[in-house]
Amino acid sequence: VGDPLHGAIELSAKAGAIDIDLSQDDLRRVVEQQTRKHLCKYDDIAAIYRAGVGLAIKFYIHGIEHLQRLRDILLAGTFEQLLTKELRQKPALPDVQVKVDLASFVYLYEQCLLELEDLTSSQRAVADKYADPEVGLNLHL
């Protein structure tokens, strides 16, 4: 089987017109906790790193179901809302607003779908086994 798929999302935060540096230790911890809780399991996160004044979260994608779950929570704005709510509990950030770079996620989503469209070697072996016209099975992988 090939390398696991991976992707990254970028987050930014503002309080009014002021950019909030999410790489600060206490804010980064909140982002990591919420990412693990809502987007990825513990071992799915490959890295969290500074991207401008925001953060980028690089993670592994374990198949189409995981990709669809990411799509649903990110495109609906649910992750932004959950993370914003959590960060607003910090006394210095009562009006913080978190944003996910959805344009880059949509591009990632498209690329992953194209990758997942190809059969793995084990899927190809099963498909070849049942491709014999004498077997006559209609196989969906």
Side-chain angles (χ1 to χ4, degrees), residues 38-54:
H38 300 290
L39 295 183
C40 302
K41 297 174 190 164
Y42 181 79
D43 59 346
D44 290 345
I45 296 176
I48 297 178
Y49 53 92
R50 189 178 192 148
V53 293

Side-chain angles (χ1 to χ4, degrees), residues 31-88:
V31 169
E32 184 174 353
Q33 289 168 349
Q34 293 301 305
T35 299
R36 291 188 194 290
K37 184 175 181 181
H38 300 290
L39 295 183
C40 302
K41 297 174 190 164
Y42 181 79
D43 59 346
D44 290 345
I45 296 176
I48 297 178
Y49 53 92
R50 189 178 192 148
V53 293
L55 287 178
I57 304 167
K58 184 175 180 179
F59 48 86
Y60 296 105
I61 299 169
H62 300 284
I64 193 72
E65 295 85 11
H66 186 201
L67 185 62
Q68 290 170 334
R69 187 167 45 92
L70 291 169
R71 176 203 61 202
D72 293 346
I73 195 169
L74 292 172
L75 294 183
T78 307
F79 186 65
E80 287 176 339
Q81 293 167 1
L82 292 166
L83 194 48
T84 294
K85 180 181 176 185
E86 202 62 34
L87 288 173
R88 284 185 177 172

